[in-house]
Amino acid sequence: MSELKTTCLHDKHVALGALMSPFGGFDMPIQYADIVTEHNAVREHVGVFDVSHMGEVEVTGADAERFVNHIFTNDITGAEPGKIFYGMMCYPNGGTVDDLLVYKMDENDFFLVINAANIDKDVEWINGQTDGFDVKVDHQSDRYGQLAVQGPEAEYQLEHTLHLKCAELAFYTFSVAELEGEKIIVSRTGYTGEDGFEIYASHATIRTMWDDLIAAGVQPCGLGCRDTLRFEVGLPLYGDELSEDISPIMAGLGFFVKLDKEEFIGKEALALQKAEGVAQKLVGLELADKAIPRHGYEIVTADDDNKVVGTVTTGYHGISVDKSIAMALVDAEYAALDTPLRVHIRKKFFPATVVKKKFYKKSYKK
């Protein structure tokens, strides 16, 4: 097994007494205080996450826009610099390579933010698609640290504690700031359902900003509450709700698959899925009991034949909604809202109902 990588803030997490655990090939903080405290801090006030494990790839060159459109399900054609797009890279069969963000830096300059666990695979995949395109692919993951500052008070902390101008940023846009001669990217997307910002900068600058935020009383947050927060608002995690075997159509993310675009890898397969339907769909589930559904637990029919019709992809007792809830991949015939099902938890079967995947209302600033 290869040695775990560390982010530029690793020593600071250890000094704060964080519970550390492997994630995506990195030794990452799971929690500092406890998951409920950190979750509620983001919902009600503000929290800061070390997301320096995420990957960054810059694509430049005369064919940069055409190339990114070729590997990306969303449509970036003619976008203004400063805009961010969410979407997926897909295999020809429609399976998902990764979900990612694309930042339009300039006319022929795009900044791709990819998932930590997929960095090596994604970079190899991207490089493998460049034949016939005049582009340069620059893997920059080791150059950047990244903070996510999330919650209703995030804007205040960036403006007043970090002295970064961000109030004018619209949702899914970014700006490039100059701070002591260094280029810093500040974006407003968020992965928690709350207003939030991402800061990409050198390791030294990220370390200073982390210290400043902690000194200002901002709650440090681990990946534990990052998962509970994103899950409550129905946001997918690669490896759970998206994978080589789970296409964007199966995951209910067809909005980010622009089939009217001239071409992209996987278009034909995804168009067929949209037209003819898929065998399985991602749904929300609400349990009548307080039992907690976990990733991989079986979903069975409501009657006594115990026919397995799906599996849980993510499940928790929702902190903000106080219900046992899950996202699950189920056979399409059982995916309609209000369908009764059961979840197999520790030798027992608990009644559940299909509900919308967004269990908690988002509070983005739009």
Side-chain angles (χ1 to χ4, degrees), residues 80 116 336:
E80 293 290 320

Short mmCIF file of all heavy atoms in Angstrom, two decimals, residues 80 116 336:
data_model
loop_
_atom_site.label_atom_id
_atom_site.label_comp_id
_atom_site.label_asym_id
_atom_site.label_seq_id
_atom_site.Cartn_x
_atom_site.Cartn_y
_atom_site.Cartn_z
N GLU A 80 -18.07 33.70 -20.39
CA GLU A 80 -17.23 34.82 -19.98
C GLU A 80 -16.18 34.34 -18.98
O GLU A 80 -16.46 33.48 -18.14
CB GLU A 80 -18.09 35.90 -19.30
CG GLU A 80 -19.07 36.59 -20.23
CD GLU A 80 -18.38 37.48 -21.24
OE1 GLU A 80 -17.40 38.16 -20.85
OE2 GLU A 80 -18.79 37.48 -22.41
N ALA A 116 -9.90 14.31 -5.12
CA ALA A 116 -8.59 13.85 -4.64
C ALA A 116 -8.32 12.38 -4.97
O ALA A 116 -7.23 12.03 -5.43
CB ALA A 116 -8.51 14.05 -3.12
N ALA A 336 -40.10 5.72 -8.08
CA ALA A 336 -41.11 6.79 -8.01
C ALA A 336 -41.26 7.30 -6.58
O ALA A 336 -41.15 6.53 -5.62
CB ALA A 336 -42.45 6.29 -8.54
#
